[in-house]
Amino acid sequence: MSGDHQTLALLLFIGFVAVTLGITTWVSRRRQGSAEEFYAGGRLFSPMENGFAIAGDYMSAASFLGIAGLIALYGYDGLLYCVGFLVAWLPVLFLVAELVRNCGRFTLADVVAARMRERPVRIAAGVSSVTVSVLYLVAQMVGAGSLVALLLGRTGGAAQAWTVIGVGALMVIYVSLGGMRATTWIQIVKAVLLLGGTAVLTALVLLRFHGDVDRLLLTAADRSGHGKAFLAPGLKYGGDWTDRLDFISLGLALVLGTAGLPHILSRFYTVPTARAARRSVVWSVGLIGSFYLMTIVLGFGAAAVVGPDAVRGSNAAGNTAVPLLALDLGGGPGSTGGTVLFAVVAAVAFATILAVVAGITLASSASVAHDLYASLRRPRGEPRSEVAVARWAAVGIGVVAIALGLLARDLNVAFLVGLAFAVAASANLPVLLYSLFWRGFTTRGAVWAVYGGLLPAIGLVLLSPVVSGSPDSLFPAVDFQYFPLDNPGIVSIPLGFLAGWLGTVTSEEVADEGKFAETEVRSLTGAGAV
C-alpha cells in the first residue's frame, strides 16, 4: 500500500488508542480496589449501554474480517457463520441471561458453585474459561497481524509479530488499569465506530450496483469462477461426508457456543437487575443482527468488486477482503477517496480487535483470580488480593495469547473463533444448563461435564487437519491427523452432556434439594441476587 494509506491509517489508529488510553487513565483514578468495581464496573451500566458493550464484545475481528472473507471466497457457505452467530443469541436470551445474572456474581463458576462443593467446581470452570478465552484471543491476534501486513505492504512475519505484541501490550494495560468500567466504555466506542463504518461501506456497495441486490449477487458469482455454484450450498462444505459433517459440527458450535463464552456471561453482571440483563440482550440482538446483515453485503461486495483471486492473493484465508473492498469503493489505489476509506476501515478493524481482546482478557483474568486463585488459597482470598492477582493474570494471559497468535497467523480468524465456540459449547454449556435445571446434579457431574467436554474438544482439534496433515495446517510437514473434521463440536458437545450425566448417576453424593430450591427461586425471581 502507498505511504498515504499507511500514514493516515496509523494516525487514525493512534487517535483511537489515545482516546481509549485516556478513558482507561480516567477510570483508573476512580476506586478500583473492590472486586465488584474491577470485575463488574460497580453494576451501574444501563441496558442500552450494556447492550452496546455486549455487541462490541461479540462483533470481533472474526465478524468484521473473517466472515466477509469467507463469503468472498466461498459464497453461500460463508453465510453459515452469520446465521450461526446470530441464532446463537436465542439460547442466551431464553436460557441464560436472566438466570445467570440472578445466580452468579462475577464468573460462570459462581453459578455452578452455588449448589456444589466449591473448590473442585471452581477449578474446573476456571480452567475451561481460561482455555476458551485464550483460543478466542488467538483469533483476534491473527486478525491484527493480517491487517497490519496489508497496511504496511509487507508479507514477512516481522510486521505481524510486532503488531501482535503491541496489541497484547495494550490489552494488558486496558485491563490491569481500568477493569470492567474502562473495558465497557471502550466496547461502546468501538461498537459505534464499527456499526457506523460497516453502514457506510454497505451503502457504498449498494450504490455501486444501484441498489440491485440481484445484480450484486450475479456479479459476485461471475467473478468467483464458480458460476451459480457460488450462490448455492456446497462450495466449501459440500464435498464428501466429512465436509458435510464439518458443516453440521460448525453449526452446532456456533449456535450453542455463545451461551458458554466467559466474556459474554460476565457482561450480565454489569447491570443492576435481571430485567436489565434481559433488556441488554434485546439491545445487543438488534445491533448484532443489523451488523451481520451488512456483513453479508460486504462479503458478496468483495467478491463482486475486488474478486476472490485478489482477496486470496492478499491473504490466503480472506482476512483482508473488507479493507481491499474499501480501497476499491473509495476510488482505487492512489486515489484520495480510496486512501481515506481504506485508512478508516483499517483503524476501525484495529479498534475492533483492541476492544474485543480487552473484554476477553478481563473475563479470563477474573476466572484466574476469582476461581482458580481463590479456590487454591485457603482461606478464600480477600477481594483486594484477588484484584491484584487478576491484574497479574492479565499479563500472563497476554503473553500466552501473543505466542499462540504468532503460531497461528495464517489461519482464517472466523475459523479460529469457531474452534473457541466449540470448546465453550462442549465444556461450559453442559455444566451451566445442568446446574440451572437438573435437580439431581452433583459435584462429580459438574466436574465431569467440564472436563468431559473440554478434553475431547482440545484433543480432537490437536488430531484434526487444522494442526497437521494438510498444506494449510499449523504443522504441514508432519502428519498426526486421526480425526477428519476441522471442528470437533459434533463429537465433543454430546460428550460434555454425557459426561455430566454419567458423573451424576455414578456419584454417591446426594444432591442438596435445599440448595437447588434456593438456586431455582433466585434464578427465576432474583430474590437474594447480588
Side-chain angles (χ1 to χ4, degrees):
M1 295 299 161
S2 69
D4 290 338
H5 294 93
Q6 298 174 23
T7 303
L8 186 55
L10 289 173
L11 285 175
L12 290 171
F13 175 56
I14 290 169
F16 177 81
V17 171
V19 169
T20 52
L21 285 176
I23 292 172
T24 304
T25 304
W26 171 68
V27 169
S28 67
R29 293 175 180 172
R30 302 170 64 93
R31 181 174 59 90
Q32 288 288 324
S34 71
E36 185 167 325
E37 179 69 28
F38 186 80
Y39 294 145
R43 309 187 199 279
L44 298 175
F45 293 101
S46 69
M48 184 181 76
E49 290 169 345
N50 198 43
F52 268 89
I54 291 173
D57 240 339
Y58 197 66
M59 297 182 301
S60 64
S63 302
F64 191 54
L65 301 176
I67 294 176
L70 285 173
I71 294 174
L73 296 180
Y74 300 107
Y76 183 96
D77 278 9
L79 291 176
L80 174 65
Y81 285 88
C82 287
V83 175
F85 283 145
L86 186 55
V87 172
W89 282 98
L90 293 178
V92 175
L93 179 59
F94 292 114
L95 296 177
V96 172
E98 184 175 356
L99 306 183
V100 165
R101 172 61 187 80
N102 286 338
C103 290
R105 191 160 175 244
F106 301 127
T107 64
L108 164 70
D110 288 336
V111 180
V112 184
R115 50 177 296 220
M116 309 290 176
R117 282 187 288 117
E118 203 166 320
R119 194 179 189 197
V121 167
R122 284 195 179 276
I123 291 173
V127 168
S128 174
S129 295
V130 171
T131 303
V132 173
S133 298
V134 168
L135 282 173
Y136 211 110
L137 279 172
V138 170
Q140 312 310 314
M141 298 298 190
V142 171
S146 299
L147 190 65
V148 83
L150 176 67
L151 178 64
L152 300 179
R154 298 176 183 175
T155 56
Q160 295 186 43
W162 281 111
T163 302
V164 168
I165 293 169
V167 170
L170 283 170
M171 80 184 186
V172 170
I173 293 171
Y174 290 150
V175 172
S176 59
L177 291 182
M180 178 59 86
R181 193 183 294 273
T183 300
T184 299
W185 282 110
I186 292 168
Q187 300 287 13
I188 292 171
V189 172
K190 166 259 175 131
V192 172
L193 289 174
L194 182 59
L195 288 166
T198 307
V200 169
L201 281 182
T202 302
L204 290 174
V205 169
L206 294 175
L207 283 173
R208 173 69 67 92
F209 293 92
H210 307 288
D212 189 343
V213 177
D214 189 50
R215 184 181 164 201
L216 165 65
L217 296 176
L218 291 175
T219 304
D222 289 341
R223 292 204 64 179
S224 71
H226 299 286
K228 291 185 178 180
F230 191 72
L231 304 178
L235 196 59
K236 180 174 175 60
Y237 297 108
D240 55 17
W241 66 270
T242 57
D243 290 332
R244 294 170 187 176
L245 280 179
D246 228 350
F247 181 89
I248 298 170
S249 186
L250 176 62
L252 282 172
L254 296 181
V255 170
L256 299 177
T258 299
L261 291 176
H263 66 291
I264 297 298
L265 294 175
S266 67
R267 293 236 58 92
F268 299 134
Y269 301 125
T270 64
V271 289
T273 64
R275 182 171 181 266
R278 191 170 62 250
R279 290 175 60 199
S280 298
V281 176
V282 174
W283 269 99
S284 63
V285 167
L287 296 169
I288 292 166
S290 303
F291 172 76
Y292 281 125
L293 287 174
M294 292 187 288
T295 303
I296 295 171
V297 177
L298 297 185
F300 284 110
V305 175
V306 180
D309 291 338
V311 171
R312 195 176 281 108
S314 173
N315 180 269
N319 294 329
T320 54
V322 174
L324 290 175
L325 175 64
L327 181 62
D328 201 297
L329 291 173
S335 66
T336 302
T339 300
V340 171
L341 201 56
F342 176 90
V344 169
V345 168
V348 168
F350 263 114
T352 297
I353 291 164
L354 282 178
V356 171
V357 297
I360 302 168
T361 305
L362 178 61
S364 52
S365 62
S367 291
V368 171
H370 186 63
D371 299 329
L372 298 178
Y373 166 77
S375 297
L376 295 173
R377 184 175 184 267
R378 291 175 180 263
R380 189 170 172 81
E382 291 296 318
R384 288 184 180 274
S385 65
E386 274 190 32
V387 171
V389 171
R391 290 190 167 110
W392 282 108
V395 177
I397 290 165
V399 171
V400 173
I402 288 169
L404 293 176
L406 294 175
L407 182 65
R409 62 175 176 260
D410 294 326
L411 296 179
N412 181 277
V413 287
F415 166 75
L416 287 170
V417 167
L419 294 182
F421 272 63
V423 177
S426 304
N428 292 346
L429 185 63
V431 71
L432 183 60
L433 293 183
Y434 279 152
S435 297
L436 290 172
F437 299 109
W438 187 5
R439 184 180 300 274
F441 197 44
T442 64
T443 301
R444 177 191 281 184
V447 174
W448 283 25
V450 172
Y451 292 126
L454 177 66
L455 296 178
I458 298 297
L460 292 175
V461 169
L462 293 176
L463 298 177
S464 74
V466 177
V467 176
S468 70
S470 69
D472 299 326
S473 62
L474 287 178
F475 304 107
V478 295
D479 186 1
F480 46 88
Q481 172 196 334
Y482 298 102
F483 181 67
L485 306 183
D486 287 348
N487 193 292
I490 195 171
V491 175
S492 58
I493 295 172
L495 283 178
F497 282 98
L498 178 63
W501 172 83
L502 190 61
T504 297
V505 298
T506 60
S507 174
E508 296 180 357
E509 175 189 357
V510 178
D512 191 324
E513 294 280 341
K515 286 186 177 180
F516 175 76
E518 180 184 340
T519 300
E520 188 175 37
V521 171
R522 178 183 292 182
S523 66
L524 295 176
T525 66
V530 177

